[in-house]
């Protein structure tokens, strides 16, 4: 397997996160411009996000791992799949890429370059939802890598498509994307004031998944029978 150098991996992470956020924000703007039905708008936003995740993870995965998410980079650094010295660089690339993605979406729809969101997303249910969403995402990634690595793009895309609908927060599950979405006062936005609660919940969910799934995927010792039991 080809190992790409750090600059190329960082560009991969930044570009992938930018395209992901441009899709999330842009599809939300497009959906609300076409329909007043919130459910239909969310469906359009969901399908575009799930689809682009499959594409982006497939094409950028071989370059950088296609994390596009500080929570994912954190658990891979903790599990030694990502060199710890590269972790902060990955996070900065993801945050910068996410901001660029929001700006790109705004420019495509002739909106102000940056417009801080006023959409309220806070409270215990929202935070718990983000914890659950990120827990599930990390569980899918870790188990997918272990058992069916080639299917990971589809597993992640399908999981996020589902999580948009079964979580009250619509499954941000990504601190960098959450930050990028605070820069848009459109359908997918979140108030900057509400970011800390989301970030804490996302990191907590990711770390919990790392510990549980790491334990779960380790085969236990087979019980040995005593001579008396064999008789």
């Amino acid at each position: 397997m080809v190992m790409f150098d750090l600059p190329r991996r960082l560009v991969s992470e930044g570009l992938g996160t930018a395209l992901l956020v441009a899709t999330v924000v842009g599809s939300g703007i497009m959906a609300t411009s076409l329909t007043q039905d919130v459910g239909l708008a969310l469906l359009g936003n969901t399908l575009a996000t799930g689809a682009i995740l499959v594409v982006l993870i497939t094409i950028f995965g071989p370059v950088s791992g296609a994390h596009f998410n500080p929570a994912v980079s954190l658990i891979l650094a903790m599990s030694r799949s990502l060199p710890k010295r590269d972790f902060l660089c990955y996070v900065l690339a993801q945050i910068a890429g996410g901001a660029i993605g929001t700006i790109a979406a705004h420019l495509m729809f002739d909106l102000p370059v940056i417009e801080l969101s006023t959409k309220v997303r806070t409270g215990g249910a929202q935070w718990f939802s983000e914890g659950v969403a990120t827990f599930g995402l990390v569980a899918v990634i870790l188990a997918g890598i272990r058992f069916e690595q080639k299917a990971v793009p589809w597993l992640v895309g399908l999981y996020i498509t589902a999580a948009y609908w079964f979580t009250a927060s619509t499954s941000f599950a990504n601190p960098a994307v959450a930050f990028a979405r605070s820069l848009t006062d459109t359908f997918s936005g979140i108030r900057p004031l509400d970011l800390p609660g989301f970030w804490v919940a996302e990191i907590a969910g990711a770390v919990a998944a790392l510990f549980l799934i790491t334990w779960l995927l380790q085969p236990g010792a087979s019980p040995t029978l005593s001579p008396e039991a064999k008789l």
Side-chain angles (χ1 to χ4, degrees), residues 185-224:
D185 197 22
T186 59
F187 182 74
S188 60
I190 175 175
R191 286 190 311 174
L193 182 64
D194 298 334
L195 286 174
F198 270 54
W199 287 339
V200 170
E202 288 159 358
I203 297 303
V207 173
L210 172 63
F211 285 107
L212 179 59
I213 300 303
T214 298
W215 171 81
L216 182 65
L217 299 185
Q218 289 178 343
S222 298
T224 57

Side-chain angles (χ1 to χ4, degrees), residues 115-120 181-186 189-192:
E115 194 173 25
L116 296 182
S117 179
T118 57
K119 189 162 188 176
V120 178
R181 290 170 66 166
S182 75
L183 306 178
T184 181
D185 197 22
T186 59
I190 175 175
R191 286 190 311 174

Side-chain angles (χ1 to χ4, degrees), residues 23 129 163 197:
T23 301
S129 293

Side-chain angles (χ1 to χ4, degrees), residues 68-80:
F68 314 141
N69 186 334
V72 172
S73 295
L74 174 63
I75 62 99
L76 292 177
M78 291 175 66
S79 63
R80 301 181 181 178

